[in-house]
Amino acid sequence: MESTKAAGSQVFLGIIGVGVVGNAFLEQLGRLPYPPKLILLARSSKTVSAPAPEYSPCVPFAVWDEAVKLPQLVHSNALPPAEIAAFLASAPGKAILVDNTSDLTLARAYPLFLERGVSIVTPNKKGFSEDMALFNQIFSSAAQGNAAVHHQCTVGGTLPVLSTLRDLVATGDQITRVEGVLSGTLSLLLGDFMPGNGTSEASWSSLVSHAKEIGHTEPDPRDDLNGLDFARKLTIIARVIGMNVSRHDSFPVESLVPDELSRLPSSSAGIARFMEELPQYDGVMEEAKREAKKQGKILRYTGSIDVPSGAIKVGLQFVEAGSAIANLRGSQIVNIYTKRYGVHPLILQGGGGGGEITAMGILADLLKAIELLK
């Protein structure tokens, strides 16, 4: 316990992103017996930080509205990544940036932090699924700066997908195929649209509308329905197991957004119009459900990586009735086939997402990073 205390006292923390996940993370972080020193907290429009060079008082572990109340803190507008990297790197000890955003600009700046010895902990998929050059630069910069990178929550939430794959590769196993459902939203929607056992008369558009109302989709449901977030996760998996995938949009991704509606702006008016016009396209999904039923199968939205051929695809698939994927409703599943796990795959399944659960996964990554930095 004393070693944990000592390590915590030497680690300085910056957090960017204080939405649902970020606030849950702050609350969990504050319950640690010996938390690291929080010296910077930022959101899209504002930053608060501990005054240098004393770095005291630290930013309190509280929701944003409470954390920003201390007048002794330095209050400023949003800072560019280079300034944040310089601030964290100047701390008198090891520093870690926790990025709780989905900001591509920040993800592209990870090498700036890592080169200066600032470690990265994040659920942000962008830096690990854009150009392969950025992916490689992130890890080469980490080696150069003797910093750590932990991004377990970029795939499967708290499901140990990436750590399991890394363990398999490190111990000499040969991964041949990875397949599954890596979108809790699409798992929920398809599970309600065509239950694995039983029937449903609900239209596709009504299910999307209900899921949006109760907060189970992104503010713009097209961000779930276009499959690109799912494709980013498969890209990260493929790269972790050693495949050279140029980008998350370099392989077939079937969008469930009608082409005409994909062109609508992402403004509130555009989203409202998308929801209003979506019922006109219910027939497309109904036809897919009828065809699956005719074949005695279940309609699901899945992704797969065939390692020997290098083929990756994301989209609707007819799966065997009674299978684990067919019985999904809201949870995620990954089937991993290897030389050792040949006929019977290694299966990882669970909810994996949500504010509290995702925050827990980020905190677990942070604790691993702190342990490495001792």
Side-chain angles (χ1 to χ4, degrees), residues 20-21 153 155-159 182-185 216 233 330-332 349-361:
V20 173
V21 171
C153 289
V155 178
T158 54
L159 294 181
L182 282 167
S183 167
T185 300
H216 283 181
K233 296 172 185 177
S331 61
Q332 302 180 53
Q349 182 175 356
E356 291 284 337
I357 295 175
T358 302
M360 177 191 73

Side-chain angles (χ1 to χ4, degrees), residues 118-151:
V118 179
S119 296
I120 300 287
V121 171
T122 184
N124 186 349
K125 292 178 278 292
K126 300 287 177 65
F128 307 94
S129 58
E130 286 286 316
D131 295 340
M132 189 72 187
L134 175 59
F135 180 86
N136 290 333
Q137 189 182 8
I138 287 171
F139 290 99
S140 63
S141 297
Q144 178 184 332
N146 195 27
V149 179
H150 289 273
H151 63 107

Side-chain angles (χ1 to χ4, degrees), residues 19 26 31 53 64 100 107-108 124 151 172 190 209 215 228 233 235 254 256-257 269 312-313 322 334 344 357:
L26 279 169
R31 293 205 302 264
W64 173 262
N100 289 324
R108 284 178 171 152
N124 186 349
H151 63 107
L190 270 298
S209 178
L228 290 178
K233 296 172 185 177
T235 301
E254 181 180 4
L256 302 186
V257 180
I312 305 175
K313 60 181 180 180
V334 180
H344 303 292
I357 295 175

Side-chain angles (χ1 to χ4, degrees), residues 11 29 51 60 89 91 101 135 151 155 157 196 210 269 293 313 316-317 328:
V11 174
L29 189 60
T101 76
F135 180 86
H151 63 107
V155 178
H210 178 66
K293 190 174 181 180
K313 60 181 180 180
L316 289 173
Q317 182 184 0
L328 285 184

Side-chain angles (χ1 to χ4, degrees), residues 81-98:
E83 285 189 33
I84 296 174
F87 176 78
L88 293 176
S90 68
K94 298 291 188 178
I96 301 173
L97 171 71
V98 177

Side-chain angles (χ1 to χ4, degrees), residues 191-266:
D192 285 343
F193 185 62
M194 190 176 189
N197 42 32
T199 59
S200 170
E201 300 301 322
S203 68
W204 176 249
S205 61
S206 70
L207 292 172
V208 174
S209 178
H210 178 66
K212 181 180 184 301
E213 286 171 9
I214 61 177
H216 283 181
T217 71
E218 294 295 328
D220 186 343
R222 290 173 294 179
D223 291 338
D224 294 301
L225 299 177
N226 63 18
L228 290 178
D229 187 69
F230 197 136
R232 286 187 183 277
K233 296 172 185 177
L234 278 193
T235 301
I236 294 168
I237 286 175
R239 289 174 174 177
V240 163
I241 62 178
M243 296 175 66
N244 191 347
V245 181
S246 61
R247 285 179 54 86
H248 67 285
D249 52 7
S250 62
F251 49 85
V253 179
E254 181 180 4
S255 175
L256 302 186
V257 180
D259 189 51
E260 298 84 349
L261 302 188
S262 67
R263 302 190 191 101
L264 294 173
S266 55

